[in-house]
Amino acid sequence: FRPGWAATAFFGICQREPNRDDYTQSTPAGRPRPEMLLDWEAGIRRQTPDWNLSANLFFMDYRDQLVLDGRINDVGAYIRTNVPRSYRAGIEIQAAARLGRRLMLGGNAAFSRNKVQEFTEYRDNWDTGGQDAIRHENTDLAFSPPVVARAEATWEILPAGKTYQLSVSLSGKYVGKQFLDS
């Protein structure tokens, strides 16, 4: 909309069929359904010759997302089940800047809420030999850290434009707390 600026908007629908194991490891009465994702995103970017900065808001609305709930089938394999509603919502930020002729700094971070609205977890009870059902509401989504960030510094020893280019980079990454189950 102006030189050096860009705005984006996106809406997408994605569907994923259960894996073969989801069918073979479940009973006919407990067959999982395909999961569906409604993905809404909007972003803005500012770019100059020496730096750039962008931000992207997202809301990923899941219907029937397949998750591990702790249950096991008759041969001891873990099975996945559909949770009616879950979501991921947050912001992604990216920035990079050239400081002088040879030094570049850059990084990105994603901050999000990742929640399952209703979920029944099954935990092994070693005293009874069975499993206990535990009901959760608005609980964290498994394998979904609320913060993921990365930073990098690059020093160009032989700058671009020469016959050879040589640079050295130092990078670090932070991954927030995540869980193996919801």
Side-chain angles (χ1 to χ4, degrees), residues 8-16 35-42 56-63 86 88:
T8 60
F10 173 82
F11 173 74
I13 298 174
C14 177
Q15 291 184 297
R16 188 176 99 177
E35 62 183 13
M36 182 172 68
L37 164 66
L38 305 175
D39 185 12
W40 304 79
E41 300 193 22
N56 189 61
L57 295 169
F58 62 91
F59 180 73
M60 302 168 78
D61 183 16
Y62 290 89
R63 312 280 168 91
S86 59
R88 300 173 196 270

Side-chain angles (χ1 to χ4, degrees):
F1 55 90
R2 292 182 59 192
W5 287 88
T8 60
F10 173 82
F11 173 74
I13 298 174
C14 177
Q15 291 184 297
R16 188 176 99 177
E17 292 293 322
N19 296 332
R20 183 176 190 277
D21 287 350
D22 294 324
Y23 291 117
T24 61
Q25 303 298 332
S26 63
T27 64
R31 296 280 189 251
R33 296 177 305 279
E35 62 183 13
M36 182 172 68
L37 164 66
L38 305 175
D39 185 12
W40 304 79
E41 300 193 22
I44 190 161
R45 182 178 69 232
R46 172 73 167 117
Q47 188 165 351
T48 73
D50 292 328
W51 61 272
N52 66 64
L53 176 66
S54 65
N56 189 61
L57 295 169
F58 62 91
F59 180 73
M60 302 168 78
D61 183 16
Y62 290 89
R63 312 280 168 91
D64 292 326
Q65 184 176 18
L66 287 162
V67 299
L68 292 169
D69 66 1
R71 287 184 296 163
I72 54 175
N73 65 11
D74 57 352
V75 294
Y78 286 99
I79 58 173
R80 295 192 311 168
T81 190
N82 295 103
V83 292
R85 298 297 298 266
S86 59
Y87 70 90
R88 300 173 196 270
I91 185 169
E92 301 164 322
I93 301 169
Q94 182 274 330
R98 178 174 288 282
L99 304 176
R101 282 186 37 228
R102 297 178 185 244
L103 179 61
M104 290 184 58
L105 298 177
N108 61 329
F111 304 94
S112 62
R113 287 182 53 102
N114 311 295
K115 298 290 184 179
V116 174
Q117 292 177 345
E118 289 182 29
F119 179 68
T120 302
E121 170 188 15
Y122 296 87
R123 284 196 191 153
D124 295 335
N125 184 326
W126 298 102
D127 295 330
T128 65
Q131 291 190 311
D132 297 331
I134 303 164
R135 183 162 173 76
H136 299 279
E137 290 185 14
N138 202 34
T139 189
D140 291 323
L141 190 56
F143 305 106
S144 301
V147 178
V148 177
R150 181 183 166 281
E152 181 175 271
T154 300
W155 180 260
E156 293 179 341
I157 298 168
L158 296 174
K162 306 287 184 188
T163 305
Y164 300 99
Q165 180 179 356
L166 179 63
S167 63
V168 62
S169 295
L170 176 64
S171 65
K173 187 168 188 175
Y174 172 80
V175 177
K177 188 184 293 188
Q178 58 185 323
F179 304 93
L180 295 178
D181 55 11
S182 294

